[in-house]
Amino acid sequence: MRLPPYVLTHAESVLREIMRFTAPADTTLSFFFKAHPKLGGRERGAIAEAVYAVLRNKAFFTDRAEAGSGGATMRRLVLLGMADAVGFDALPGLSEDESAWLTRQLEIDRTLLHKSMRANMPKWLFDKLVEQYGEDETLALADALNTPAPLDLRVNAMKTDRDAVIAELATAPIVAEPTPFAPLGLRLRKKPALQNLPLFKSGAIEVQDEGSQLLAQILGAKRGEMVVDFCAGAGGKTLALGAQMRNTGRLYAFDVSEKRLSKLKPRLARSGLSNVHPVAIAHERDAKVKRLAGKIDRVLVDAPCSGMGTLRRNPDVKWRQDESAIGEMHEKQVSILDGASRLVKGGGRLVYATCSLLNEENDAVAKQFIETHPDFVLVPMSQVLAEQKIANLEMGDYLKLLPHKHQTDGFFAAVFERKPMAKPAKAEADTDEA
């Protein structure tokens, strides 16, 4: 069924704003849809998917849209994105010239393109990934990053089990498959509206990528422990940890953004958890952090990062950042990890994680931490996975999840353990808190 002609006009309008890269694409789309409440669900879906198709394929689509003459670039970008999202036959009101032009573009064999064009990412990022992974694997990784992600759910074990959720979703009807690694994960190939389902309203399911679920699992939080989610954000991993602790012990959700923490509150209410304590902090050396120095069994640091592992969901990220930001991010990550490490008691564990693919934010931070913190030892990820009975995921010292290999977002994690007799580093004077 063809879309109404005004869908193309709206898509062009919002794409023009998004391509300025002054704000995240999902934020701009959200504002746009609020300003156009008469758009139906199918129309909103087509506009959003077309925009994301353009962002994923920006290098190739821009090259094709600007080639030749007789067409407006933004209009051509929308046509390419919409054809990718909903198919050529659903496009309304094309002129004869537009139809012929679009047909020619869709017939291009992209495997014959220059490698950097096929990868659809900035040259600096492509070069970094080639240096890390080699050219062939980078292209396989890029192909996966330029494909829309499935929808992953986490089953709240405090309320139900995975088989029961699969059965209830089937009555909707929604097809859900168990994720291969996370024991409470489900994968949906389609993206239905979940917010009105009784399962969602009751807190029995949460939207969470399988990789993110695994980060919470490798922390190994146990009943009755003191645990900190140091960069909690909207609390996806916090909720997973709370359920893992069976609603016992004490779980602190720290974040420097009260706005992000406020998004945790309705999710927390649905979850049924009462052991979670959200705390807004000013920085990693906040007095609220210092009061817990040396008292915490397990600390998760899901650090702020470039987000390059999430390009399936947030393709605009690769165009909104430049290479200089990576070095700045590294210094910030080192500082946050150092601050969080002071919380860990002797024999306790610290997990450093990012949703980045870049060594500067991952291996380099982990190695620098070990070199400067002799009271900690690296726990090989192979050992941690064995402890958590995740038998079908082979890793070395670190967790490195890649979309083309594991069908998750790109994630990194390192696990450190404070030596049993070690004392936490002496806290700085309060004059350092400013």
Side-chain angles (χ1 to χ4, degrees):
M1 189 169 70
R2 287 186 186 275
L3 291 162
Y6 58 79
V7 169
L8 292 180
T9 305
H10 281 313
E12 186 174 342
S13 176
V14 72
L15 181 63
R16 194 179 302 277
E17 179 63 31
I18 285 171
M19 293 283 276
R20 292 176 181 155
F21 298 115
T22 55
D26 59 350
T27 301
T28 304
L29 274 169
S30 179
F31 280 126
F32 183 83
F33 290 145
K34 285 178 183 176
H36 298 82
K38 292 184 179 179
L39 285 170
R42 178 172 179 253
E43 295 157 353
R44 290 173 181 231
I47 291 169
E49 290 305 317
V51 164
Y52 281 111
V54 173
L55 294 171
R56 288 188 188 96
N57 298 282
K58 177 176 171 286
F60 173 63
F61 280 4
T62 301
D63 179 73
R64 302 318 307 155
E66 293 177 348
S69 59
T73 299
M74 198 60 64
R75 166 80 175 182
R76 285 180 166 181
L77 284 174
V78 166
L79 293 181
L80 288 165
M82 198 65 76
D84 187 275
V86 299
F88 183 94
D89 292 340
L91 301 188
L94 302 189
S95 69
E96 190 174 323
D97 286 346
E98 284 181 329
S99 183
W101 173 83
L102 186 56
T103 299
R104 288 196 301 273
Q105 308 315 312
L106 296 178
E107 290 173 348
I108 293 173
D109 182 354
R110 296 200 211 177
T111 63
L112 302 177
L113 295 173
H114 185 274
K115 293 178 177 64
S116 59
M117 179 71 74
R118 176 181 151 190
N120 266 295
M121 57 180 62
K123 186 177 185 302
W124 70 266
L125 179 57
F126 180 75
D127 290 345
K128 272 186 181 294
L129 293 177
V130 169
E131 185 179 346
Q132 284 182 215
Y133 300 108
E135 198 171 78
D136 289 344
E137 186 156 9
T138 294
L139 289 172
L141 173 59
D143 286 345
L145 290 171
N146 290 325
T147 302
L151 181 62
D152 288 357
L153 307 177
R154 178 183 58 81
V155 174
N156 182 355
M158 296 295 298
K159 298 206 168 192
T160 186
D161 60 53
R162 189 155 67 170
D163 289 341
V165 171
I166 290 173
E168 188 166 342
L169 286 174
T171 66
I174 296 170
V175 178
E177 305 167 352
T179 49
F181 309 119
L184 295 172
L186 290 172
R187 179 155 297 151
L188 280 57
R189 295 299 169 184
K190 295 183 178 179
K191 297 181 180 179
L194 297 172
Q195 61 270 22
N196 295 322
L197 292 179
L199 280 170
F200 183 82
K201 289 180 178 179
S202 69
I205 55 172
E206 278 284 341
V207 175
Q208 188 177 20
D209 182 79
E210 183 184 21
S212 177
Q213 295 180 45
L214 288 171
L215 293 188
Q217 189 174 355
I218 64 174
L219 186 66
K222 298 174 182 172
R223 290 173 182 263
E225 288 187 331
M226 294 265 283
V227 178
V228 170
D229 186 355
F230 202 77
C231 305
K237 282 175 282 294
T238 307
L239 297 176
L241 291 170
Q244 195 174 341
M245 296 164 69
R246 303 304 296 177
N247 205 21
T248 64
R250 197 166 182 86
L251 173 55
Y252 293 96
F254 287 164
D255 204 274
V256 295
S257 170
E258 287 196 36
K259 184 177 180 181
R260 283 197 293 267
L261 281 177
S262 69
K263 294 179 181 178
L264 169 59
K265 291 180 181 178
R267 302 173 76 185
L268 188 55
R270 287 196 305 271
S271 74
L273 295 174
S274 58
N275 64 338
V276 178
H277 304 273
V279 180
I281 59 174
H283 42 68
E284 60 268 22
R285 302 234 183 331
D286 192 302
K288 297 171 188 173
V289 177
K290 290 185 177 182
R291 281 197 288 269
L292 295 172
K295 298 177 181 178
I296 305 299
D297 294 287
R298 297 171 196 269
V299 177
L300 172 62
V301 180
D302 183 13
C305 68
S306 65
M308 291 302 170
T310 69
L311 296 183
R312 300 184 306 167
R313 304 174 196 280
N314 306 299
D316 54 313
V317 165
K318 60 187 173 184
W319 308 113
R320 287 195 294 111
Q321 297 200 47
D322 57 37
E323 188 172 5
S324 64
I326 306 303
E328 296 170 8
M329 201 67 76
H330 171 90
E331 295 305 316
K332 186 176 184 179
Q333 290 154 348
V334 167
S335 178
I336 290 172
L337 185 56
D338 176 67
S341 72
R342 298 166 189 272
L343 297 171
V344 184
K345 68 196 302 186
R349 284 193 178 179
L350 170 67
V351 173
Y352 171 74
T354 74
C355 53
S356 176
L357 301 166
L358 304 177
N359 282 343
E360 294 100 313
E361 301 182 86
N362 296 339
D363 307 54
V365 174
K367 289 173 182 174
Q368 185 170 336
F369 178 80
I370 280 295
E371 289 169 0
T372 55
H373 293 76
D375 51 335
F376 280 86
V377 294
L378 179 73
V379 184
M381 191 57 62
S382 54
Q383 176 185 325
V384 176
L385 294 173
E387 290 171 356
Q388 294 299 316
K389 298 181 173 56
I390 304 174
N392 54 346
L393 191 58
E394 293 184 8
M395 295 287 159
D397 283 345
Y398 306 126
L399 182 77
K400 293 186 176 183
L401 297 174
L402 298 167
H404 67 298
K405 287 185 174 180
H406 306 106
Q407 288 71 57
T408 66
D409 285 346
F411 280 104
F412 170 90
V415 178
F416 309 102
E417 186 169 291
R418 187 184 288 278
K419 295 174 183 177
M421 300 305 292
K423 294 181 179 180
K426 187 178 179 181
E428 299 94 330
D430 289 343
T431 53
D432 290 342
E433 290 178 16

